[in-house]
């Protein structure tokens, strides 16, 4: 560029390539002279100064983080608004909180023994509600350790636990932990259905907050433990303890508490009644959680791990459940509909109940396979009819059918005492004589068990040897209807057929009523109505029912009862019931065996107890030559020996001595056991001992009883009272 002149003769520098020639010469001169003057920096008009790369990266990262925080904050706000909206929406659909209340727990019926021991609980839950102080301390500790470690610190919802559960589930790729607190679980159990929806979860949280506001932590934990499901039909720790361990919750050990707590994850799948190994494995997880939580030591865990594995039955077990079922069957008739917790005091002696169960089960285990016996039952009552022990079958867990109260079975010869009672009431005595010979009644020809005939025998002999021919004769003499009336009067409630075969016990009865009908013999002639419920009261102690069997009616004359006792004592001492003879105690009883050995019974008594034992098969299949004088009599003896252990012997009421009157037979000899009791009295002659069936309004059946009597059958009966009065 050429230089230009200005009006002031000043030369303006011309720039070429961004630098003037003068400046270039000046710089060149300075370099030649050895001077190095740094050039002046030119000011830039725009901020385009370069920065280091590391500083730029940090700036970008900080910006991203600031953005993320910002947007997270924004999303949190909107998320909170959304959650609040959802909560408000579903909360508005719930009833007003002012109307919320804890639903009543289903009523429980606590069934206790005569000494107050708890035998069973009945109701929807299967157990009564307990206070925390009434249960083993291991139970709440185990539940908190495995289900909700921060139970005593959170407000009903545990955000930390929820976050931990979410992380665990994400890492595992499946649901391995739940985030619900015990309070939330209680809210779900009390108020909500098990469906998994957003609405239910929101309601669960709201209800949990309400529970935390309304109740203390201990109250919440107590409600939870009394209502939560533990599998196998058990709700609450008391029901679960009795279901799996057959003990109350207060006696549960550390190992057992860990098992119970472990069931909460999956009660049905982990139940020891279904999978004992899975239950045990889960219990070990609970023990580890308790150690981590600091509530148990390593030594305690080591001890717990040595405990034997729990193997629960698939159903409630124990013979006391037969009693509980009977109580629940009869309870509504006594108190009406059950709307509150009740306590039922029974007449059961729990010690005798367990001994009866053990004895019966041992008899079946030792002889069942060999003798083809599948089932058994036992009933024991006292002189008032109070049931002291009742075993309805071999194993309640296997079969809940009560063979003592519900099964109608032929009693066989065990029914004969009612035939003989009817005969004695019409003037016969144990020394009356009948001819044991083939007998035909219509088309029926009864035979003796051994197929033999003994000729002329006393009634005492006939009952002792259980002669069928003599019993059939007595039925036709007194009339079948009279026998039926006598049996009903003494306590048989089942319908009986008034025919000749009733002499051999062909009408079906239950073991309970048959046993109770023997009681008038041992108590001197009073009716003993079998009963198992003594008192029913509320949890607060208000008595709703108390039995009224204190003043029973007299059903047989004391003299008749005494004569029956003499004859039935002889059955045990010399007759078919010899295997039932007790050491040191007078005992009486009668054997019974039905056709083809389908049923075998022994019903016997002392001055304290009347006990009936039955063996047979549910399908009616014959046993292998089992008679009433065999396995039933032996089982009866074993049980009664234990029942009378340590008690002073007591005599049966034998009444006044029996006059040695020989009715239609020779006078007794001094060798007769009954005659020994009355040998000091002189014989009293009478003309006739039997009232014909016609006089009882019953047509005489065609009969050919042994050798025909030489005396006519039209004489009127003359009683001992007639002779004394001179009639």
């Amino acid at each position: 560029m050429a230089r230009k002149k200005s009006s002031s003769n000043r030369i303006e520098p011309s720039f070429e390539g961004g630098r003037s020639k003068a400046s270039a010469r000046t710089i060149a001169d300075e370099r030649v002279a050895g001077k190095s003057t740094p050039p002046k920096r030119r000011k830039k008009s725009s901020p385009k100064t370069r920065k280091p790369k590391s500083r730029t990266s940090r700036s970008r990262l900080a910006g991203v983080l600031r953005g993320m925080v910002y947007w997270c904050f924004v999303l949190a706000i909107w998320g909170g608004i959304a959650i609040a909206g959802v909560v408000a929406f579903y909360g508005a659909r719930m009833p007003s909180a002012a109307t919320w209340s804890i639903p009543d727990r289903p009523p429980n019926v606590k069934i206790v023994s005569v000494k107050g021991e708890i035998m069973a609980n009945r109701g929807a839950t299967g157990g009564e509600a307990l206070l925390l102080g009434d249960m083993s301390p291991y139970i709440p500790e185990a539940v908190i350790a495995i289900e909700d470690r921060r139970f005593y610190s959170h407000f009903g919802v545990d955000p930390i636990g929820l976050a931990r559960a979410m992380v665990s589930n994400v890492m595992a790729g499946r649901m391995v932990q739940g985030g619900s607190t015990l309070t939330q679980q209680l809210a779900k159990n009390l108020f909500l259905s098990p469906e998994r929806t957003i609405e239910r979860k929101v309601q669960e949280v709201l209800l949990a907050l309400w529970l935390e506001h309304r109740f203390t932590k201990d109250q919440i934990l107590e409600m939870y433990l009394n209502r939560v499901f533990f599998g196998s039909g058990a709700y609450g720790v008391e029901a679960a303890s009795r279901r799996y361990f057959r003990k109350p919750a207060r006696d549960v050990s550390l190992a057992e508490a860990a098992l119970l707590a472990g069931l909460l994850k999956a009660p049905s799948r982990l139940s020891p009644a279904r999978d004992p190994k899975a239950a045990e494995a889960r219990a070990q997880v609970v023990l580890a959680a308790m150690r981590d939580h600091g509530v148990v030591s390593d030594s305690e865990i080591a001890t717990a791990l040595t405990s034997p594995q729990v193997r629960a039955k698939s159903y409630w077990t124990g013979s006391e459940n037969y009693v509980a079922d009977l109580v629940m069957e009869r309870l509504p008739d006594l108190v009406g509909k059950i709307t509150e917790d009740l306590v039922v005091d029974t007449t059961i002696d729990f010690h005798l109940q367990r001994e009866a169960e053990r004895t019966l089960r041992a008899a079946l285990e030792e002889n069942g396979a060999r003798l083809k016996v599948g089932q058994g039952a036992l009933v024991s009552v006292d002189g008032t009819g109070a049931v002291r022990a009742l075993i309805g079958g071999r194993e309640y867990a296997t079969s809940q059918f009560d063979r003592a109260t519900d099964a109608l079975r032929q009693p066989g010869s065990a029914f004969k005492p009612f035939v003989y009672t009817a005969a004695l009431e019409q003037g016969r005595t144990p020394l009356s004589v009948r001819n044991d010979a083939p007998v035909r009644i219509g088309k029926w020809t009864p035979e003796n068990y051994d197929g033999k005939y003994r000729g002329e025998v006393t009634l005492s002999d006939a009952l002792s040897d259980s002669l069928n021919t003599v019993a059939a004769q007595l039925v036709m003499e007194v009339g079948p209807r009279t026998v039926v009336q006598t049996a009903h009067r003494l306590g048989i409630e089942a319908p009986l057929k008034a025919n000749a075969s009733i002499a051999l016990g062909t009408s079906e009865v239950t073991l309970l009523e048959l046993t109770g009908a023997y009681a008038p013999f041992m108590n001197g002639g009073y009716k003993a109505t079998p009963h198992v419920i003594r008192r029913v009261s509320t949890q607060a102690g208000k008595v709703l029912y108390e039995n009224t069997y204190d003043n029973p009616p007299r059903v047989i004359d004391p003299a008749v009862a005494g004569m029956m006792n003499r004859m039935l004592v002889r059955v045990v001492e010399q007759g078919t019931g010899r295997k039932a003879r007790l050491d040191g105690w007078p005992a009486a009883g009668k054997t019974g065996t039905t056709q083809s050995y389908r049923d075998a019974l022994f019903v016997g008594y002392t001055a304290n107890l009347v006990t009936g034992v039955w063996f047979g098969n549910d399908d009616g299949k014959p046993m292998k030559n089992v008679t009433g004088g065999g396995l039933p009599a032996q089982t009866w003896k074993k049980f009664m020996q234990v029942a009378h252990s340590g008690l002073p012997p007591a005599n049966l009421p034998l009444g006044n001595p029996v006059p040695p009157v020989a009715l239609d037979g020779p006078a007794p000899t001094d060798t007769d056991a009954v005659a020994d009791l009355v040998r000091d009295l002189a014989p009293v002659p009478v003309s006739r001992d039997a009232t014909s069936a016609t006089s009882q309004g019953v047509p005489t059946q065609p009969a050919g009883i042994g050798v025909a009597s030489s005396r006519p059958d039209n004489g009127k009966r003359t009683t001992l009272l007639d002779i004394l009065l001179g009639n």
Side-chain angles (χ1 to χ4, degrees), residues 83-157:
I83 292 174
V86 171
V87 171
F89 174 76
Y90 288 119
R93 300 176 61 177
M94 298 176 65
S96 172
T99 64
W100 295 357
S101 62
I102 300 296
D104 292 334
R105 193 173 185 268
N108 177 73
V109 178
K110 182 168 68 173
I111 301 169
V112 301
S113 70
V114 71
K115 296 181 180 179
E117 304 155 294
I118 299 178
M119 297 195 302
N121 286 279
R122 284 292 185 269
T125 60
E128 62 177 321
L130 300 178
L131 299 174
L132 282 180
D134 293 335
M135 62 182 73
S136 168
Y138 292 125
I139 295 177
E141 290 174 353
V143 170
I144 291 175
I146 195 66
E147 291 291 320
D148 190 358
R149 294 187 180 185
R150 278 173 291 278
F151 172 72
Y152 281 102
S153 60
H154 62 63
F155 53 88
V157 179

Side-chain angles (χ1 to χ4, degrees), residues 19 27 30-31 35-42:
R19 179 178 296 179
I27 293 172
E30 290 176 349
R31 286 179 178 174
K35 296 178 181 180
S36 178
T37 303
K40 295 181 180 180
R41 290 184 179 180
R42 181 169 52 93

Side-chain angles (χ1 to χ4, degrees), residues 326-595:
L326 180 62
V327 167
M328 295 305 296
E329 178 184 335
R330 299 187 175 182
L331 192 57
D333 294 335
L334 303 179
V335 299
K337 185 178 180 181
I338 302 172
T339 58
E340 59 181 321
D341 286 358
L342 299 178
V343 178
V344 178
D345 293 280
T346 70
T347 59
I348 297 294
D349 185 318
F350 212 0
H351 169 68
L352 292 183
Q353 179 74 18
R354 287 170 173 161
E355 286 297 332
E357 179 181 11
R358 182 190 60 80
T359 303
L360 188 71
R361 187 174 295 176
L364 288 168
E365 290 175 354
E366 294 171 6
N367 304 282
R370 178 174 59 87
L371 300 178
K372 298 181 180 180
V373 184
Q375 279 292 352
L378 185 151
V379 175
S380 188
V381 304
D382 65 15
T384 68
V387 178
R388 298 305 186 187
L390 186 148
I391 315 297
R394 182 173 191 164
E395 173 56 71
Y396 183 83
T398 304
S399 173
Q400 294 80 54
F401 179 68
D402 191 340
R403 295 154 191 83
T405 62
D406 297 334
L408 290 169
R409 298 275 184 169
Q410 291 183 353
S413 294
F415 191 83
K416 287 178 181 176
F418 309 121
V419 177
Y420 280 76
T421 298
L424 296 182
E425 287 181 331
Q426 292 192 1
R428 297 158 186 80
T429 73
L431 305 181
S432 298
V433 176
R434 291 296 179 272
N435 190 21
D436 176 26
V439 60
R440 180 181 177 186
I441 303 175
K443 297 182 179 180
W444 179 50
T445 305
E447 297 180 352
N448 292 327
Y449 167 73
D450 57 6
K452 300 178 181 179
Y453 301 95
R454 295 157 180 78
E456 290 187 339
V457 295
T458 64
L459 297 190
S460 179
D461 291 332
L463 185 59
S464 178
D465 294 333
S466 196
L467 302 181
N468 294 336
T469 58
V470 175
Q473 294 176 49
L474 292 177
V475 166
M476 299 316 300
E477 290 175 11
V478 303
R481 292 180 184 174
T482 301
V483 174
V484 169
Q485 292 171 359
T486 301
H488 283 159
R489 179 161 30 97
L490 267 67
I492 298 295
E493 297 180 353
L496 303 173
K497 294 181 180 179
N499 53 31
S501 66
I502 196 174
L504 307 186
T506 54
S507 291
E508 296 176 335
V509 298
T510 67
L511 182 63
L512 177 62
E513 61 185 335
L514 179 65
T515 304
Y518 271 63
F521 301 139
M522 59 91 80
N523 68 21
Y526 294 95
K527 186 173 183 179
T529 303
H531 58 280
V532 72
I533 298 177
R534 188 165 57 94
R535 185 186 302 109
V536 181
S537 56
T538 65
Q539 198 73 32
K542 179 183 178 182
V543 177
L544 303 180
Y545 165 81
E546 196 157 7
N547 71 44
T548 56
Y549 299 109
D550 296 336
N551 298 304
R554 177 175 290 282
V555 290
I556 55 174
D557 188 270
V560 173
M563 288 187 285
M564 286 301 304
N565 286 335
R566 293 168 188 265
M567 290 194 289
L568 292 173
V569 165
R570 194 175 177 197
V571 171
V572 174
E573 293 295 326
Q574 303 176 15
T576 57
R578 290 188 300 274
K579 292 183 179 179
R581 189 184 307 167
L582 297 178
D583 299 331
W585 271 83
K590 186 67 187 76
T591 59
T593 309
T594 62
Q595 192 173 15

Side-chain angles (χ1 to χ4, degrees), residues 241-377:
S241 300
R242 294 187 178 277
R243 172 66 181 85
Y244 297 124
F245 316 127
R246 296 190 69 180
K247 63 171 65 172
R250 67 173 177 271
D251 296 333
V252 166
S253 66
L254 172 59
E256 292 165 342
L259 188 145
L260 291 180
L263 297 179
L264 298 176
K265 180 180 181 181
S268 298
R269 179 172 58 85
L270 297 175
S271 169
R274 178 178 180 178
D275 192 343
K277 292 184 178 179
E280 186 68 22
R282 179 63 178 170
Q284 294 180 11
V285 174
V286 175
L287 289 172
M290 295 178 72
R291 179 186 57 199
D292 296 342
H293 197 51
V295 294
V296 294
S297 63
D298 290 338
S299 60
E300 289 177 302
I301 291 180
T303 302
L305 292 175
T306 61
S307 301
Q309 188 179 81
V310 176
R311 294 184 178 273
K313 297 286 186 179
S314 59
Y315 198 71
W316 295 86
T317 188
S319 63
E320 62 271 16
N321 288 289
Y322 289 113
V323 178
D325 289 348
L326 180 62
V327 167
M328 295 305 296
E329 178 184 335
R330 299 187 175 182
L331 192 57
D333 294 335
L334 303 179
V335 299
K337 185 178 180 181
I338 302 172
T339 58
E340 59 181 321
D341 286 358
L342 299 178
V343 178
V344 178
D345 293 280
T346 70
T347 59
I348 297 294
D349 185 318
F350 212 0
H351 169 68
L352 292 183
Q353 179 74 18
R354 287 170 173 161
E355 286 297 332
E357 179 181 11
R358 182 190 60 80
T359 303
L360 188 71
R361 187 174 295 176
L364 288 168
E365 290 175 354
E366 294 171 6
N367 304 282
R370 178 174 59 87
L371 300 178
K372 298 181 180 180
V373 184
Q375 279 292 352

